[in-house]
Amino acid sequence: MSTFSLFLALLQLVGFLFPLRVSAIRKDIGFLEERSCRTTVQGRYLISDDEGNVCDALSLDSRTRCCPWKGERFSCHGCNLLSQCCSSYEFCVSCCLNPNRTLLEKAVKIKVAKPATAGTYRSVFDFCAGRCRHNSESVVHENAYHSKFHHCFSLTSNASGANLTQIETRLLGIDVIVGSQGDSCDAVCKSRGQLCVMNKLSLLNQCDVMQRYMTCKGSCLASAGADQPAEVVEDAPRDLYPGACLYTRTQSMLSCDGSHQYTRRLCPCA
């Protein structure tokens, strides 16, 4: 037998003895799924992707449309976490995407618009991107905002969809007065030769209503106190949220004689 024939026979023998090792050599090799992101399009300089990252437009991966994996995910930079409002649209979306703040099962039940026939959001990203856009309710005099924190992502509003026109109708004959710092509504109305109308306080105890009469700079916060609804004065200690409006979730606490040294009350007088 020639040397070449002997070599071929050895190759066949090796293939017969070790077929499994050869045939299985690539069975455990897989490929990672490629990243692919949806992004916001509103910002001039910053972009937020649907993974909760914020980056500048130049850093965005042109192929995956994702921000780099660096920096803080779900960043709430420039946001007031109590009011859930932010000064930046992109960071509002990023903060909103945190699953600890916005639950999928709740976000997809929210209507995109006010009409009863409007559809609901399809995902948390759709909810956050839509909710964080400012709307007509955050604007005063058609071209100015109530405050710099006008990008908000709260699932519900304090007014619970109440019709402001109906509220105004129920306030006919009532003078809505912003009091002086530290005054009770009894004192505010008495200075005008009027009385505080106790059963109208609940109508004023709503963010949408307060923002019509007060600046509510920065936020509208749930609180607990007999001086509410009220606005915290600008020179109040920082831990009292200067400029914020306060409403109470406990209706039984509403009172005409309540007051606080650092708030100005919103009062129904007649």
Side-chain angles (χ1 to χ4, degrees):
M1 181 180 295
S2 67
T3 302
F4 181 73
S5 298
L6 181 61
F7 178 72
L8 289 178
L10 286 172
L11 286 178
Q12 291 174 351
L13 179 62
V14 169
F16 176 77
L17 292 175
F18 306 101
L20 294 177
R21 181 179 300 176
V22 174
S23 63
I25 193 168
R26 296 188 62 84
K27 280 188 176 181
D28 60 345
I29 294 180
F31 296 93
L32 293 175
E33 185 177 345
E34 186 176 30
R35 288 180 75 196
S36 178
C37 298
R38 297 175 62 197
T39 61
T40 57
V41 294
Q42 181 167 330
R44 181 180 299 179
Y45 304 109
L46 295 177
I47 290 175
S48 177
D49 66 25
D50 59 4
E51 295 180 346
N53 302 297
V54 177
C55 62
D56 61 77
L58 295 178
S59 300
L60 193 72
D61 189 306
S62 60
R63 183 166 52 87
T64 65
R65 304 297 298 171
C66 297
C67 287
W69 274 327
K70 63 180 182 180
E72 181 183 358
R73 192 180 180 195
F74 307 129
S75 174
C76 297
H77 176 72
C79 298
N80 184 320
L81 296 183
L82 288 176
S83 65
Q84 295 184 307
C85 293
C86 309
S87 57
S88 161
Y89 171 71
E90 289 74 27
F91 282 106
C92 176
V93 174
S94 173
C95 189
C96 172
L97 284 170
N98 189 327
N100 292 327
R101 294 192 179 89
T102 307
L103 299 177
L104 173 62
E105 56 266 30
K106 290 187 177 181
V108 296
K109 294 179 181 179
I110 302 296
K111 289 186 178 295
V112 176
K114 289 184 178 180
T117 56
T120 56
Y121 291 101
R122 295 175 300 170
S123 67
V124 173
F125 179 74
D126 287 330
F127 167 81
C128 294
R131 198 72 157 188
C132 283
R133 292 191 182 95
H134 51 256
N135 54 46
S136 59
E137 294 180 359
S138 64
V139 178
V140 291
H141 306 308
E142 298 183 354
N143 59 2
Y145 295 113
H146 283 299
S147 78
K148 67 177 181 178
F149 297 94
H150 52 263
H151 299 286
C152 305
F153 58 89
S154 173
L155 281 166
T156 58
S157 67
N158 165 243
S160 303
N163 188 306
L164 288 175
T165 301
Q166 293 179 353
I167 292 175
E168 289 175 350
T169 300
R170 295 174 65 185
L171 287 171
L172 287 176
I174 300 295
D175 293 330
V176 179
I177 307 298
V178 178
S180 298
Q181 179 177 343
D183 281 352
S184 68
C185 280
D186 277 338
V188 171
C189 296
K190 184 177 180 180
S191 68
R192 298 170 52 86
Q194 297 175 306
L195 297 175
C196 172
V197 185
M198 174 70 180
N199 62 3
K200 299 297 183 182
L201 279 169
S202 60
L203 297 176
L204 305 182
N205 187 49
Q206 304 183 53
C207 291
D208 290 349
V209 177
M210 282 190 282
Q211 288 169 348
R212 289 201 163 197
Y213 299 94
M214 297 169 151
T215 305
C216 298
K217 181 180 179 182
S219 54
C220 184
L221 310 176
S223 184
D227 62 311
Q228 289 138 31
E231 182 179 49
V232 183
V233 296
E234 291 288 344
D235 60 354
R238 292 188 62 183
D239 61 338
L240 296 181
Y241 302 99
C245 283
L246 306 176
Y247 68 92
T248 180
R249 288 176 175 160
T250 308
Q251 297 290 312
S252 61
M253 294 193 71
L254 294 173
S255 166
C256 283
D257 61 4
S259 64
H260 190 283
Q261 61 175 323
Y262 288 117
T263 63
R264 302 163 63 225
R265 296 203 61 182
L266 187 63
C267 304
C269 301

